[in-house]
Amino acid sequence: MSLFAAVRRVRAHGGHFLLLAVLTLVTALLITAVPRVADRLTGQGLREYVAGQPVARRDLTYTSEPAMVSRTAAQVVAGRAGDLAAIEGRMPPAVRQTVGERWYHAQTSFARLTGPTLSSEKGLIDLSLRAMTGIRQAATLAEGRWPDPGVTGDGAIELALADTVAGPLGVHAGDRFRLSILDPDSRQLRARTVELVGVFRPLDGRDGIWDALPSMLRLTPPEGDGEPFLAVGYTADAGLDAAATAGLPVAFGWRYRIAPDRLAPGQLGPMIDGIAALTRTRPAGLTLTQGVDIPLRRFAQSLAAARTLLAVIAAGLLATLAGLTLLAARLAARRRRTEYLLIRARGGSTGAVLRRGLAESALVLPLAAGAGWLLAGLLPGAGTELRWVLLAGLLATLLPPVTALTAGRGEGGRADLVGGRATAVRLTVDVTVLGVAALGAFLLRRRGLTLDGTVDPLLVSVPVLLAVAAALIALRAYPWPLRLLSRAAARARGSVAFLGTARAGRAATTGPLVVVVLAIATAAFCGVVAAGIETGRDRAAARAVPGDVLVDGERFAPDTTEALGAVPGVRAVAPLLIEEDQRPYADRAGRFGGVGGTQVLLVDGARLAEVARRAGVTLTVPDPLHTGGDGSTPLPALVSPALADEFAKAGLADRDGRRPAWLDVQGARLPVRTAATVDEFPLVGRDVKRFLVLPWPALPADAPHPVVPTGFLLAGERVDPSAVARVVQEGQLRYQRSGAVTGAERPRRPEVLTRSAVRAELGGSGVNGLLVFGFTIGAVGGGLLGLLALAFAVLAGARGRGQVLSRLRTMGLSRRQWRGLLLVELTPLVLVSVLTGALVGAALPLLLTPVLGLPAFTGGVAAPVRFEPGLVAGVLGLAVLALGFAVAVEALNNRRMRLGEVLRLGEES
């Protein structure tokens, strides 16, 4: 057995080896490319996700409490500046490697600033002095100079202000002020002269150096009437030392910003653990403020669920490719069956057949596996998975000799006389596969999802086993109705329907049909899960904003509702009142009721339903919210289960209203009773466990003042959020000026949020790119491989059909009847395989929902799993395409076989 003889045989059977080589190359490409592309998409998604977070969730900030220093102390600021590197050096390596920018600052407490250029019309001004690193590189002088010495010759502290602060104050370089330390009664304790030596302008106001609070780039408005404006100025180290020794308390801060471009998916676990260790090992006397672990934990949870989905999809595709490779090897061995029988007849041993097949496949398939690995290596990303490519190449190389061995031992015979009764071996295999698949699904649902970052063997094998089990059941079931149909067709006129259904009922293409079902199930699984995630995101956005626009703020004037209705594009407005952390009372006098903090939501049921309807949001407003009241009788309330349990223990808010709970809503005491218990309600966050929803009450005439909204829900087309913000700000100011203000704090700026923005945020960050990649390769790859497997299923019975058609053509069968016979025979095969695969793909998410972790992609809202109309249309279209493809493959194969020659040469041609 020479090498040249093996090369000649490979060339002679080049079509079969080319098909095996292509399948091996695609398998190696999939094994290598999927991890690399997934790594690139994951890293890109992680960097974009972290970069889109607020700065408070990207900074690690160490601060000390303001403290007095000794009047004889020297270099107060410079002595602590060295801790910037020392603190970073004590961080865990995973955290330290991700730190990008870092800043150090020392800042005095606020003191009263007075001077001849600060007139009384400008209000009270309190100033804090800040010395910090990097400011001279991040700003340019607009006037004067930097406070280089820090202290003038006569002892005045030098100061520089931002132009956005100096401009409103009307001060310029050269002005002098008096910085006074006041006691709680606003009496001056001591004072120090301050000179403004420069005015600077930031090069980029979004630079991280300006994110420290209070901001240096603007005057902080007063928190209440009679309160001062707050300003922060820059001084040199010597200037801050002078202020500290003058009696101003000084606080120090060290801030480290996580650089998104230094994050990698493999660092997520060590990074989260390192941040947790920082909170336990912070230096004595310092406070650590950070929110970095919150987005990282959320991303890690989403990534684990995305990798789970990708593993299931990849397992389905790899199992399909393995089945196709086996079918191709069997097809090649069947076509060379006579050759192997001749070797046996001449005394060849089993080893001789194996060596011949191994020598041929070793010339082609390892090279194909290596080519797939090299092609995938050209893609950006990490993770070559060489060991799995070697394993796939080895298995592909061993398949042809093994199948050649089985083909050489085969027996000839009439394929159309195959008995309908299955053998004991096949029954045993079928029952074993069904049992293992059912047991695996049960264990997987009971155990749940493992989040250790590795591929779960049970998770990736159960979907494949379930698809194979469903295919075996379909193969057992579908011949029976065809045989009944064949009996009915035998009594009708014409031979096409009878012959077609009779042959379809005797079809025994088990292997190809299993592979078709597996491929179509993978594609359908991707479509169903993707549609469920999209629907879940729509529901999450509708839950957060059950309209088109949501306004959240403090109290607004009652006429703001009508003002919003006049905004262009607004078609409906519903006022809202949200009170956080309310504690229900046991009676009207305000006796504690034993119930924890509760979120209270007041809505106008009719207006809320109208807004949802006009916005196209599916929302059913319960009947209790349509019920009005005057506040004298208990109002019906929708209560969360946790709050209902607390009410029951306290004996409050019973359903008949004999012992109501009392709420203090904007100074009005309202009695409430439990009308219904609800697990969730729009506008209420999923993390809120105790909430209570009430209908908007009509208060009695003796009420101190009417209940006013704290937010609004709007419906409309192309509503301008800036116009809405302007109207609600005016409404908030009108309420503040109406004399009904109940507190001295300055109201926060109203927030305007659109449902489209919430929906875009859910679908445009994190691991969404990885999901799109997984669903795309699963759907497209499953569909294409399903069509290829269907071609194998057609070719598996092509020889028998060719012989029958050849005989029938000589008996007068027309070309039209011939095509009809092909269509009748192949239609059951195609429909059963495609529909079974689609049903399995739709059922897999239902079985695996507890372990897939889909709520990680939908904001915590359950992702519904069902066949959408578009998916049904896609499955039907795929079935029609598959049927046309099968008929085309059969027609081409019949032309190549030359049916007249088949008849003359006999069954072994």
Side-chain angles (χ1 to χ4, degrees), residues 720-777:
D720 186 5
S722 60
V724 174
R726 183 170 58 255
V727 171
V728 295
Q729 288 176 18
E730 294 173 354
Q732 189 166 265
L733 289 176
R734 283 198 303 275
Y735 179 81
Q736 292 292 317
R737 296 168 181 169
S738 65
V741 180
T742 57
E745 292 187 357
R746 183 182 180 88
R748 62 183 175 90
R749 192 181 187 89
E751 298 179 3
V752 179
L753 183 65
T754 63
R755 188 172 84 250
S756 59
V758 176
R759 180 62 179 82
E761 182 180 359
L762 288 172
S765 62
V767 297
N768 196 64
L770 185 60
L771 287 179
V772 172
F773 167 70
F775 291 145
T776 301
I777 64 168

Side-chain angles (χ1 to χ4, degrees), residues 208-223:
I209 194 173
W210 311 113
D211 292 332
L213 297 177
S215 175
M216 297 183 67
L217 302 182
R218 65 183 182 91
L219 280 173
T220 303
E223 296 182 352

Side-chain angles (χ1 to χ4, degrees), residues 669-754:
R669 293 290 170 86
L670 302 177
V672 298
R673 62 179 178 85
T674 300
T677 301
V678 293
D679 295 327
E680 59 183 24
F681 193 82
L683 302 168
V684 178
R686 295 189 60 84
D687 56 342
V688 178
K689 301 303 180 183
R690 288 191 297 269
F691 65 86
L692 183 146
V693 186
L694 294 171
W696 196 281
L699 297 184
D702 59 350
H705 52 79
V707 173
V708 296
T710 62
F712 300 93
L713 190 65
L714 285 67
E717 296 182 357
R718 294 184 294 273
V719 179
D720 186 5
S722 60
V724 174
R726 183 170 58 255
V727 171
V728 295
Q729 288 176 18
E730 294 173 354
Q732 189 166 265
L733 289 176
R734 283 198 303 275
Y735 179 81
Q736 292 292 317
R737 296 168 181 169
S738 65
V741 180
T742 57
E745 292 187 357
R746 183 182 180 88
R748 62 183 175 90
R749 192 181 187 89
E751 298 179 3
V752 179
L753 183 65
T754 63

Side-chain angles (χ1 to χ4, degrees), residues 779-852:
V780 176
L784 295 178
L785 294 178
L787 293 178
L788 184 58
L790 191 61
F792 279 108
V794 173
L795 294 175
R799 184 174 298 276
R801 281 192 298 271
Q803 294 166 358
V804 171
L805 291 176
S806 180
R807 295 187 181 98
L808 292 176
R809 287 294 301 276
T810 62
M811 297 170 63
L813 188 72
S814 66
R815 285 185 176 273
R816 183 176 181 181
Q817 289 176 319
W818 171 31
R819 296 190 185 97
L821 182 59
L822 283 178
L823 194 62
V824 172
E825 184 176 347
L826 295 178
T827 297
L829 175 72
V830 172
L831 291 181
V832 167
S833 57
V834 173
L835 295 181
T836 302
L839 291 176
V840 172
L844 282 177
L846 293 175
L847 294 173
L848 302 179
T849 293
V851 298
L852 290 179

Side-chain angles (χ1 to χ4, degrees), residues 331-546:
L331 182 61
R334 185 180 304 161
R335 295 299 170 86
R336 300 175 63 183
R337 181 173 175 274
T338 304
E339 176 186 344
Y340 297 135
L341 287 176
L342 184 59
I343 294 175
R344 289 282 190 172
R346 292 178 175 176
S349 64
T350 300
V353 176
L354 287 175
R355 286 193 297 272
R356 172 182 286 254
L358 187 60
E360 297 169 358
S361 61
L363 292 175
V364 179
L365 300 185
L367 296 178
W373 178 72
L374 291 176
L375 287 176
L378 300 177
L379 298 173
T384 56
E385 299 294 336
L386 181 58
R387 64 183 185 278
W388 297 111
V389 175
L390 293 176
L391 178 60
L394 177 62
L395 294 177
T397 304
L398 294 177
L399 269 181
V402 172
T403 54
L405 183 64
T406 59
R409 293 179 176 178
E411 296 289 339
R414 293 278 301 276
D416 59 339
L417 296 180
V418 176
R421 180 175 298 179
T423 63
V425 175
R426 182 175 174 184
L427 284 175
T428 302
V429 172
D430 292 354
V431 172
T432 302
V433 172
L434 291 175
V436 172
L439 180 62
F442 171 76
L443 293 178
L444 186 61
R445 287 176 62 91
R446 185 162 187 174
R447 187 205 63 183
L449 177 65
T450 58
L451 298 177
D452 56 356
T454 60
V455 177
D456 188 350
L458 182 62
L459 178 62
V460 299
S461 61
V462 165
V464 175
L465 290 173
L466 290 174
V468 173
L472 294 177
I473 293 175
L475 287 171
R476 288 291 186 182
Y478 97 91
W480 295 102
L482 288 177
R483 291 169 186 172
L484 296 177
L485 185 61
S486 177
R487 293 176 184 176
R491 294 190 293 269
R493 297 182 61 183
S495 60
V496 173
F498 165 68
L499 293 175
T501 54
R503 287 188 54 79
R506 290 197 303 267
T509 54
T510 303
L513 275 186
V514 170
V515 179
V516 173
V517 171
L518 185 57
I520 301 300
T522 303
F525 171 82
C526 295
V528 171
V529 174
I533 291 176
E534 291 298 312
T535 303
R537 288 172 173 174
D538 292 339
R539 291 184 178 181
R543 176 186 171 88
V545 184

